[in-house]
Amino acid sequence: MRAAAGCTDPLRDTRRATARVNALVQRFRHLAATHTAEFYTSNVWAEHVGLEPGPVLCRAREQARLMIEDDDDDDDECSSDDDEFTRKDDCPGQEPEKLRQLLDLRSFFRGVSTARTYLRNVTVSRSSVLHHLEAQQPHRAAPLLSPAEFMSCKKSHEVELMSEVIAVLAHHCHVRQVFNLGSGKGYLSSYLALCYGLKVYGIDSSDGNSHGAAERHRKLQRFWKSYERKSALQVDGNVVPKLAGCMKCDESRCVTEIDSTLEETFAANSLSPQTEGDHIAEERTDCHGKPHCLDVSFVDHAEIDLDPFLKELPQISFVPKAGKQPLTWKEQRQRREASIKAKAQTTPQPSFHLPVTSHVTPKTKLSQLVGELEDSVLIGLHTCGDLAATSLRLFAKRPELRAICTAGCCYHLLSEEFELIERNDVNEVQGFPLSEFLKSRRCALGRNVRMCACLAAERVATGKVPPTESLFFRAVLQVIIQEHFGVLDSTKHVGKTYARSSSFLDYVRKSLEKLSLDGSQLSDGVIQSYLDKYQPKMVELEAFNMLKVLLAPCIEGLILLDRLCFLQEQVLNVCTGWSACCSCCL
């Protein structure tokens, strides 16, 4: 968000946090740079850890648990001298190299916890950002529907959380136009258009995605009203009856269920409203076709005991009036046309979602894609690889873009400036680093390190990622390939072979076939012998993978801090609250 007040020196604070997190990542970069497939062929555990794997695994799991719970006191716990594997008294006569590795691991756990403190110093939570913005402008319409009504649980969770932030930003900046980069199938775009009434342009480089998003949105519009009715009839899980009408009284009008009340009033007083010239009830409408005033003509005021409800209506007038003449056909048509026109003026405009096929670069002119460009919000859910960096560069260059909210992914697909220089590869735009601060330090990570940034402690702890056994099978397979086929390249992929395999033997056979290697020379007994040999060392791989999981938030944090630092370097005067939103959502 281009705004800001009440900031001390956010750029200085961000640079300080970036420098400290970068120092931690660079110190333990060797852990993340190791390819899991090379774990046994390169003797990774002995080279980089060299301690008993059992205690290391237990402590890593405990650290991951603390990360998930976000315990404020985890720093103290992690720096405790009572760790099972860090007590020097347990290791009398320890070799200097082993002692160095032990102390390195102890500092690793401390550093991971401290890095979280650095990140918290320059960021705030998503809920705090929403609370801050909504406190300034609280009148924002809430959506009637949850996206879970028409998309998967995983996708609906992402869309619901992000759409709320986007809607608050759009309302805060007084804009309705939204550009969704990398819109894909249009889940987020459709939800923003239908639920929040935003004018969304979904931009994707795939023509198939754009056509699919357009068709999906068209079908969704047809059923949207039924979805709204269904949600409107449910309050806290309880079905409530649909109201036939409502009453809203203000200085200019009174909207109420009038007809039934009049019938009851006339019946109670034995009045016949059908007698022309004696008792006439006429409902008048305002310019929007809504009832606002009731004219009642009668012969004797004293003979009518008015209903208490009618006495309370502030805008009802009782005017003696001559009998009402029936409308001509022409008058009826004119009144009907006026009513239709008034209704069209008050009915909300249909949702606007336009998928556009285009490859976006920092030089892309959005006005050429949409015609007239107005103040907008730039968003992106799962902006893959360099697309997140591209969106930030667009935001920095286009004053019409008032706010940005992106969630990056696929960090391993980022292009690195200093990695490309080493390969003598020329690329006009690099995805990392963006900030001049990290460029001056020639910061580099590498593909394996960036891949590590995609790991999530929450998913590992809850078993939502492939089990360690799949990594173990791949590492043992690499030993077989290297010893029997002389292939040293570990970057070749076997895909999801593990999920389709019934055993290690089946896994090896299918993998060799996929890699175009003749496995007929290997007997089942030879293959099984490799499994038996490395099975006791599986705990080493599991412990090492947990160390990478703990380092992952620091690597991702470094990438996000670089992006935040870039924004602040553009003299955008980004305030602290929005800085947090950038770090959490980019």
XYZ file of all heavy atoms in Angstrom, residues 474-517:
354
model
N 14.425 -43.425 -2.362
C 15.147 -42.729 -3.428
C 16.651 -42.687 -3.157
O 17.468 -42.824 -4.089
C 14.605 -41.299 -3.560
C 15.276 -40.476 -4.664
C 15.024 -41.090 -6.023
N 15.699 -40.367 -7.101
C 16.928 -40.641 -7.535
N 17.628 -41.631 -6.964
N 17.462 -39.960 -8.532
N 17.027 -42.500 -1.903
C 18.450 -42.448 -1.566
C 19.122 -43.808 -1.776
O 20.247 -43.888 -2.284
C 18.626 -41.995 -0.119
N 18.441 -44.893 -1.414
C 19.005 -46.236 -1.618
C 19.027 -46.561 -3.107
O 19.976 -47.200 -3.602
C 18.190 -47.277 -0.838
C 18.729 -48.687 -1.096
C 18.230 -46.977 0.664
N 18.009 -46.140 -3.840
C 17.999 -46.346 -5.287
C 19.215 -45.701 -5.934
O 19.820 -46.281 -6.843
C 16.714 -45.760 -5.880
C 16.629 -45.743 -7.413
C 16.558 -47.164 -7.967
C 15.422 -44.925 -7.884
N 19.604 -44.524 -5.460
C 20.761 -43.845 -6.029
C 22.042 -44.634 -5.795
O 22.941 -44.650 -6.644
C 20.888 -42.436 -5.428
C 21.942 -41.577 -6.092
C 21.663 -41.330 -7.561
O 20.501 -41.294 -7.969
N 22.709 -41.185 -8.356
N 22.130 -45.318 -4.662
C 23.296 -46.182 -4.398
C 23.348 -47.298 -5.424
O 24.410 -47.614 -5.979
C 23.227 -46.757 -2.970
C 24.391 -47.714 -2.732
C 23.254 -45.643 -1.935
N 22.196 -47.932 -5.694
C 22.129 -49.013 -6.683
C 22.506 -48.495 -8.063
O 23.290 -49.134 -8.789
C 20.711 -49.628 -6.692
C 20.398 -50.264 -5.341
C 20.573 -50.645 -7.811
C 18.981 -50.796 -5.219
N 21.974 -47.349 -8.449
C 22.255 -46.788 -9.772
C 23.744 -46.472 -9.925
O 24.353 -46.742 -10.968
C 21.403 -45.518 -9.996
C 19.917 -45.890 -10.098
C 21.844 -44.781 -11.245
C 18.992 -44.683 -10.184
N 24.327 -45.909 -8.881
C 25.733 -45.522 -8.964
C 26.650 -46.735 -8.998
O 27.631 -46.771 -9.762
C 26.086 -44.634 -7.767
C 27.511 -44.090 -7.808
C 27.751 -43.021 -6.753
O 26.895 -42.160 -6.542
N 28.891 -43.080 -6.082
N 26.357 -47.751 -8.207
C 27.233 -48.920 -8.133
C 27.068 -49.872 -9.306
O 28.035 -50.525 -9.720
C 26.994 -49.660 -6.814
C 27.429 -48.863 -5.585
C 27.271 -49.657 -4.296
O 26.779 -50.814 -4.373
O 27.631 -49.138 -3.225
N 25.878 -49.959 -9.870
C 25.634 -50.948 -10.930
C 25.557 -50.337 -12.326
O 25.730 -51.050 -13.316
C 24.337 -51.718 -10.646
C 24.446 -52.665 -9.488
N 24.831 -53.980 -9.624
C 24.236 -52.469 -8.163
C 24.837 -54.574 -8.437
N 24.479 -53.669 -7.529
N 25.285 -49.040 -12.405
C 25.154 -48.421 -13.728
C 26.132 -47.276 -13.935
O 26.208 -46.724 -15.032
C 23.715 -47.918 -13.935
C 22.675 -49.003 -13.853
C 22.017 -49.269 -12.660
C 22.371 -49.781 -14.958
C 21.068 -50.269 -12.579
C 21.418 -50.782 -14.887
C 20.765 -51.034 -13.692
N 26.843 -46.911 -12.898
C 27.853 -45.859 -13.009
C 27.288 -44.476 -13.269
O 27.990 -43.598 -13.759
N 26.021 -44.285 -12.947
C 25.373 -42.983 -13.155
C 25.527 -42.154 -11.879
O 25.046 -42.545 -10.816
C 23.886 -43.147 -13.504
C 23.234 -41.774 -13.666
C 23.728 -43.978 -14.769
N 26.206 -41.016 -11.983
C 26.444 -40.167 -10.823
C 25.431 -39.035 -10.708
O 25.339 -38.402 -9.656
C 27.858 -39.574 -10.882
C 29.006 -40.594 -10.958
C 30.344 -39.869 -11.029
C 28.974 -41.535 -9.757
N 24.701 -38.772 -11.767
C 23.733 -37.678 -11.768
C 22.516 -38.053 -10.921
O 21.827 -39.039 -11.215
C 23.301 -37.368 -13.194
C 22.371 -36.166 -13.262
O 22.241 -35.461 -12.240
O 21.787 -35.928 -14.339
N 22.284 -37.279 -9.868
C 21.164 -37.572 -8.966
C 19.966 -36.648 -9.210
O 19.011 -36.665 -8.434
C 21.615 -37.416 -7.511
O 22.027 -36.085 -7.256
N 20.020 -35.845 -10.240
C 18.947 -34.874 -10.480
C 17.808 -35.438 -11.319
O 16.788 -34.769 -11.488
C 19.513 -33.624 -11.191
O 20.086 -34.015 -12.452
C 20.575 -32.955 -10.339
N 17.978 -36.643 -11.844
C 16.907 -37.229 -12.639
C 15.762 -37.648 -11.727
O 15.971 -38.206 -10.658
C 17.433 -38.433 -13.431
C 18.448 -38.048 -14.500
C 18.860 -39.253 -15.326
C 19.831 -38.849 -16.439
N 20.229 -40.009 -17.269
N 14.542 -37.379 -12.200
C 13.364 -37.601 -11.370
C 12.686 -38.930 -11.721
O 12.624 -39.318 -12.878
C 12.369 -36.459 -11.552
C 12.938 -35.108 -11.223
N 13.185 -34.695 -9.940
C 13.313 -34.078 -12.030
C 13.684 -33.467 -9.951
N 13.778 -33.073 -11.213
N 12.177 -39.562 -10.678
C 11.397 -40.786 -10.879
C 9.914 -40.523 -10.634
O 9.097 -41.441 -10.695
C 11.894 -41.913 -9.957
C 13.324 -42.289 -10.297
C 11.763 -41.524 -8.488
N 9.580 -39.267 -10.363
C 8.176 -38.895 -10.207
C 7.536 -39.508 -8.985
O 8.172 -39.677 -7.942
N 6.268 -39.853 -9.131
C 5.490 -40.403 -8.012
C 5.486 -41.928 -8.024
O 4.464 -42.564 -7.743
C 4.063 -39.868 -8.071
C 3.989 -38.350 -7.957
C 2.551 -37.860 -8.013
C 2.483 -36.348 -7.893
N 1.090 -35.836 -7.942
N 6.656 -42.476 -8.319
C 6.757 -43.935 -8.388
C 6.472 -44.574 -7.045
O 5.891 -45.659 -6.965
C 8.162 -44.341 -8.874
O 8.440 -43.671 -10.103
C 8.255 -45.837 -9.082
N 6.881 -43.917 -5.976
C 6.682 -44.488 -4.638
C 5.200 -44.744 -4.359
O 4.841 -45.786 -3.788
C 7.261 -43.545 -3.585
C 6.968 -43.970 -2.163
C 7.732 -44.941 -1.527
C 5.915 -43.399 -1.445
C 7.456 -45.341 -0.231
C 5.633 -43.787 -0.150
C 6.405 -44.753 0.453
O 6.132 -45.147 1.742
N 4.343 -43.810 -4.732
C 2.911 -43.948 -4.456
C 2.295 -45.120 -5.220
O 1.278 -45.666 -4.796
C 2.187 -42.657 -4.803
N 2.899 -45.507 -6.319
C 2.350 -46.597 -7.138
C 3.068 -47.924 -6.906
O 2.832 -48.883 -7.641
C 2.452 -46.221 -8.612
C 1.706 -44.952 -8.995
C 1.667 -44.779 -10.509
N 3.009 -44.609 -11.052
C 3.609 -43.434 -11.223
N 2.960 -42.321 -10.884
N 4.821 -43.340 -11.733
N 3.931 -47.959 -5.895
C 4.722 -49.172 -5.647
C 4.234 -49.888 -4.394
O 3.863 -49.247 -3.404
C 6.206 -48.821 -5.487
O 6.683 -48.141 -6.638
N 4.269 -51.203 -4.442
C 3.815 -52.025 -3.311
C 4.941 -52.388 -2.359
O 4.691 -52.769 -1.224
C 3.157 -53.301 -3.829
O 4.075 -54.040 -4.651
N 6.194 -52.275 -2.826
C 7.331 -52.637 -1.989
C 8.590 -51.956 -2.541
O 8.555 -51.323 -3.606
C 7.529 -54.157 -1.964
O 7.831 -54.626 -3.278
N 9.701 -52.099 -1.801
C 10.952 -51.529 -2.273
C 11.391 -52.176 -3.576
O 11.884 -51.504 -4.495
C 12.036 -51.703 -1.206
C 13.386 -51.199 -1.634
C 13.638 -49.847 -1.765
C 14.414 -52.101 -1.930
C 14.884 -49.379 -2.162
C 15.659 -51.647 -2.333
C 15.895 -50.283 -2.456
N 11.206 -53.479 -3.689
C 11.561 -54.184 -4.912
C 10.757 -53.649 -6.099
O 11.313 -53.386 -7.180
C 11.305 -55.686 -4.734
C 11.581 -56.584 -5.945
C 13.045 -56.507 -6.348
C 11.180 -58.028 -5.636
N 9.465 -53.467 -5.900
C 8.612 -52.926 -6.957
C 9.031 -51.494 -7.307
O 9.039 -51.099 -8.479
C 7.161 -52.968 -6.491
C 6.185 -52.602 -7.598
O 6.487 -52.893 -8.773
O 5.123 -52.026 -7.295
N 9.395 -50.730 -6.301
C 9.827 -49.347 -6.505
C 11.086 -49.287 -7.364
O 11.185 -48.478 -8.301
C 10.077 -48.690 -5.149
C 10.698 -47.310 -5.218
C 9.930 -46.190 -5.441
C 12.069 -47.152 -5.053
C 10.494 -44.926 -5.510
C 12.657 -45.896 -5.118
C 11.863 -44.777 -5.345
O 12.449 -43.530 -5.397
N 12.065 -50.128 -7.077
C 13.319 -50.127 -7.831
C 13.076 -50.526 -9.275
O 13.600 -49.903 -10.214
C 14.346 -51.062 -7.166
C 15.584 -51.214 -8.041
C 14.734 -50.524 -5.794
N 12.275 -51.565 -9.495
C 11.999 -52.020 -10.857
C 11.335 -50.916 -11.685
O 11.727 -50.644 -12.826
C 11.096 -53.256 -10.823
C 11.695 -54.488 -10.150
C 12.850 -55.044 -10.931
N 13.326 -56.318 -10.387
C 14.472 -56.890 -10.718
N 15.278 -56.286 -11.614
N 14.827 -58.038 -10.192
N 10.326 -50.284 -11.128
C 9.612 -49.239 -11.863
C 10.489 -48.014 -12.088
O 10.420 -47.375 -13.137
C 8.345 -48.854 -11.108
C 7.269 -49.925 -11.107
C 6.036 -49.485 -10.342
C 4.953 -50.576 -10.393
N 3.747 -50.191 -9.620
N 11.307 -47.679 -11.115
C 12.174 -46.502 -11.245
C 13.235 -46.715 -12.317
O 13.520 -45.808 -13.113
C 12.837 -46.181 -9.906
O 11.874 -45.877 -8.920
N 13.831 -47.888 -12.341
C 14.849 -48.178 -13.352
C 14.241 -48.126 -14.749
O 14.861 -47.637 -15.704
C 15.473 -49.541 -13.089
C 16.328 -49.669 -11.824
C 16.821 -51.109 -11.648
C 17.510 -48.708 -11.869
N 13.028 -48.624 -14.864
C 12.353 -48.581 -16.161
C 12.080 -47.143 -16.586
O 12.256 -46.791 -17.757
C 11.040 -49.362 -16.077
C 10.276 -49.417 -17.388
C 8.989 -50.205 -17.273
O 8.726 -50.776 -16.198
O 8.224 -50.233 -18.269
N 11.681 -46.300 -15.628
C 11.402 -44.913 -15.945
C 12.673 -44.159 -16.322
O 12.636 -43.226 -17.136
C 10.728 -44.231 -14.748
C 10.235 -42.841 -15.052
C 9.255 -42.350 -14.010
C 8.645 -41.024 -14.447
N 7.594 -40.572 -13.505
N 13.802 -44.554 -15.746
C 15.076 -43.915 -16.039
C 15.769 -44.533 -17.252
O 16.912 -44.203 -17.558
C 16.005 -43.996 -14.822
C 15.530 -43.243 -13.568
C 16.459 -43.533 -12.391
C 15.462 -41.744 -13.835
N 15.062 -45.455 -17.917
C 15.595 -46.140 -19.110
C 16.873 -46.905 -18.800
O 17.830 -46.920 -19.588
C 15.849 -45.118 -20.234
O 14.678 -44.439 -20.578
N 16.904 -47.554 -17.658
C 18.039 -48.393 -17.257
C 17.588 -49.849 -17.227
O 16.506 -50.168 -16.730
C 18.557 -47.978 -15.872
C 19.114 -46.546 -15.766
C 19.462 -46.223 -14.319
C 20.329 -46.367 -16.659
